[in-house]
Amino acid sequence: GVFFCNQNQVFDYLSFAKKNGYRFNIMVWHKTNPAPLCMNKYLDDIEFIINIKSDDWHIYGTYETKSKVWTSQTNKKDKELYGHPTVKPEKLVEKYIKNHSKENDLVLDCFAGSGTTAIACHRLKRRFICIEKDPEYWKASCKRLEEEKKQLTLF
């Protein structure tokens, strides 16, 4: 699995992995435009990404997709468009889908939010199951996916 989390959750994920004999990777999304809130604390300019896997699970992708650091701005445009506070960049999600699945594989996102995983899976020819409990986010993700499906590819 690939899990986006804050620093308070890292220990729980790593403890689970160690306890159950899984391998793990700790990666970060370095945000170049974090919220300017730093009163008595460091900037929230990174988000942790934990990958937990068994020994027999492969990491696909290429040299370019296997870096443990992703650097980009937060996705302000999509935050405004889809009304979700933690929209992930599409290219970031595509990276992990490429690294952990092949065409026609099934991807599960239990916290689908505004549907970034669904969009990435559609583009990369993966099947997907997305779960979201907030009805407004769910509606936004369905609308977003329908808009994506309407896009024509010329090449």
Side-chain angles (χ1 to χ4, degrees):
V2 176
F3 309 94
F4 288 83
C5 62
N6 64 42
Q7 68 183 11
N8 296 324
Q9 298 167 312
V10 170
F11 179 77
D12 293 332
Y13 282 108
L14 300 185
S15 295
F16 169 83
K18 296 284 274 180
K19 179 181 173 185
N20 293 285
Y22 293 117
R23 294 182 181 263
F24 61 85
N25 289 290
I26 303 171
M27 301 164 289
V28 295
W29 169 23
H30 173 230
K31 302 171 184 180
T32 57
N33 63 336
L37 307 170
C38 58
M39 297 172 60
N40 200 30
K41 67 181 188 104
Y42 288 98
L43 280 174
D44 285 327
D45 62 347
I46 64 168
E47 186 167 334
F48 290 95
I49 306 161
I50 307 296
N51 166 240
I52 298 175
K53 66 183 226 49
S54 62
D55 284 336
D56 61 344
W57 194 261
H58 296 285
I59 298 178
Y60 306 106
T62 63
Y63 180 86
E64 290 76 24
T65 66
K66 290 185 178 178
S67 174
K68 291 184 179 184
V69 178
W70 179 270
T71 302
S72 73
Q73 293 188 347
T74 57
N75 200 341
K76 289 183 178 182
K77 178 185 75 110
D78 285 349
K79 273 185 187 184
E80 292 172 16
L81 269 175
Y82 306 114
H84 193 280
T86 62
V87 175
K88 305 297 185 270
E90 291 171 2
K91 294 294 182 193
L92 173 59
V93 174
E94 286 178 10
K95 164 187 164 150
Y96 290 110
I97 291 172
K98 287 176 187 175
N99 285 353
H100 297 284
S101 68
K102 297 181 282 187
E103 280 192 19
N104 208 35
D105 278 354
L106 181 63
V107 174
L108 172 65
D109 185 346
C110 297
F111 307 96
S114 65
T116 305
T117 298
I119 299 299
C121 285
H122 174 72
R123 288 180 184 164
L124 298 172
K125 298 180 174 84
R126 272 57 166 186
R127 297 172 302 131
F128 57 90
I129 296 172
C130 290
I131 301 167
E132 176 53 54
K133 71 177 186 175
D134 185 295
E136 295 306 311
Y137 297 155
W138 179 249
K139 286 179 201 169
S141 70
C142 290
K143 180 180 177 197
R144 186 176 177 194
L145 183 58
E146 287 305 314
E147 290 170 1
E148 178 69 23
K149 287 180 176 181
K150 289 178 186 176
Q151 297 297 314
L152 297 175
T153 303
L154 297 177
F155 305 99

